[in-house]
């Protein structure tokens, strides 16, 4: 019998038992967009949070997007994309290093972030301001869920692991799939896992469907 597939994410798949990992609360800090040459966007939640602002204030400021999926969402939002990363926040330093240190960046982010790329870039002399546009909290759904082992567990963010482990554990019988290295780093020590080839939920699901 095929193992049950649990997807811990804010997105859904028809091939999995979908468990929303986070509830998102949006913030609206004052922002003078005119001060910046480029934006940095690392999640679709940021794009949703931007709906609170007058589009004309930022829509023509190109954004460095962390992944192709985020870039697609930003284009559909009607905005401009400057460059697209490979899906890993840590690697955005490579993109930023292609620009002058006189460039003024604004990183629109969550309250809690897993990557320290901004700190590294600032240490190198780059000008990056940060504004927190949303707060992520463990959803009641993930706090209440109880998985049937053995199962396939798909984790799409560090917080999805942290929230799951509050009331659950990962057994040796479970198969674990993670969306990337940053997420994998939050697994309990010695946990065996498979990493998706691309940093996308679809890639994780394709892997899960191959597991007998």
């Amino acid at each position: 019998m095929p193992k049950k597939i649990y997807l811990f994410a804010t997105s859904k798949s028809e091939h999995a038992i979908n468990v929303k990992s986070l509830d998102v609360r949006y913030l609206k800090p004052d922002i003078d967009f005119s001060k910046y040459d480029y934006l940095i966007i690392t999640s679709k939640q940021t794009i949703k949070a931007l709906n609170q602002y007058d589009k004309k204030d930022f829509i023509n400021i190109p954004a460095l997007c962390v992944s192709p999926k985020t870039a697609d969402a930003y284009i559909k939002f009607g905005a401009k994309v400057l460059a697209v990363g490979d899906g890993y926040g840590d690697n955005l330093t490579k993109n930023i290093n292609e620009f002058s240190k006189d460039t003024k960046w604004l990183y629109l982010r969550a309250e809690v972030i897993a990557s320290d790329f901004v700190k590294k870039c600032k240490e190198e002399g780059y000008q990056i301001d940060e504004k927190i546009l949303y707060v992520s909290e463990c959803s009641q759904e993930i706090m209440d869920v109880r998985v049937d082992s053995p199962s396939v567990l798909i984790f799409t963010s560090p917080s999805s692991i942290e929230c799951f482990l509050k009331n659950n554990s990962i057994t040796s019988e479970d198969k674990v799939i993670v969306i990337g290295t940053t997420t994998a780093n939050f697994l309990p020590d010695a946990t065996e896992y498979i990493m998706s080839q691309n940093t996308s939920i679809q890639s994780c699901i394709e892997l899960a469907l191959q597991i007998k």
Side-chain angles (χ1 to χ4, degrees):
M1 180 182 295
K3 292 181 173 66
K4 289 183 179 179
I5 300 171
Y6 290 85
L7 172 62
F8 302 100
T10 53
S11 302
K12 293 185 177 182
S13 169
E14 62 179 337
H15 302 292
I17 297 168
N18 299 284
V19 181
K20 184 174 70 169
S21 54
L22 298 170
D23 285 328
V24 177
R25 177 164 50 88
Y26 295 108
L27 307 176
K28 192 183 177 184
D30 289 334
I31 301 175
D32 181 357
F33 289 99
S34 66
K35 293 166 55 179
Y36 302 102
D37 300 303
Y38 303 121
L39 307 178
I40 301 172
I41 295 178
T42 56
S43 77
K44 293 179 183 178
Q45 298 299 338
T46 294
I47 300 170
K48 292 179 181 178
L50 281 170
N51 269 313
Q52 303 173 105
Y53 295 88
D54 191 334
K55 269 192 175 184
K56 68 178 175 55
D57 291 339
F58 64 85
I59 204 69
N60 291 315
I61 304 175
L64 167 59
C65 296
V66 71
S67 68
K69 291 285 187 183
T70 303
D72 288 345
Y74 200 52
I75 290 169
K76 288 178 183 176
F77 185 62
K80 298 179 179 180
V81 171
L82 172 69
V84 182
D86 62 5
Y88 295 101
D90 288 343
N91 292 341
L92 289 177
T93 53
K94 298 176 185 176
N95 301 92
I96 294 169
N97 287 341
E98 294 177 2
F99 294 86
S100 164
K101 290 181 179 178
D102 292 329
T103 304
K104 293 181 174 61
W105 300 84
L106 174 61
Y107 178 27
L108 302 170
R109 45 162 280 205
E111 180 183 41
V112 178
I113 52 177
S115 173
D116 64 351
F117 76 91
V118 169
K119 180 175 180 289
K120 291 176 181 177
C121 287
K122 284 182 176 180
E123 289 172 351
E124 293 175 9
Y126 287 92
Q127 302 177 60
I128 305 176
D129 287 344
E130 302 174 72
K131 289 288 186 178
I132 297 172
L133 292 194
Y134 65 97
V135 176
S136 297
E137 301 162 330
C138 295
S139 72
Q140 196 60 49
E141 200 169 321
I142 199 170
M143 297 295 284
D144 291 343
V145 73
R146 297 295 181 269
V147 303
D148 299 320
S149 293
S151 294
V152 181
L153 310 178
I154 301 175
F155 296 107
T156 59
S157 67
S159 54
S160 67
I161 295 174
E162 291 181 324
C163 292
F164 175 78
L165 291 175
K166 286 182 182 293
N167 289 324
N168 289 275
S169 59
I170 300 171
T171 74
S172 59
E173 295 180 317
D174 296 320
K175 299 295 184 182
V176 176
I177 296 173
V178 295
I179 202 166
T181 53
T182 304
T183 300
N185 289 337
F186 281 75
L187 287 168
D189 291 344
T191 302
E192 294 186 4
Y193 63 88
I194 309 168
M195 189 179 302
S196 62
Q197 186 172 0
N198 301 307
T199 54
S200 70
I201 288 176
Q202 181 58 38
S203 182
C204 291
I205 291 293
E206 288 171 2
L207 262 177
L209 293 173
Q210 295 171 20
I211 295 174
K212 305 298 184 184

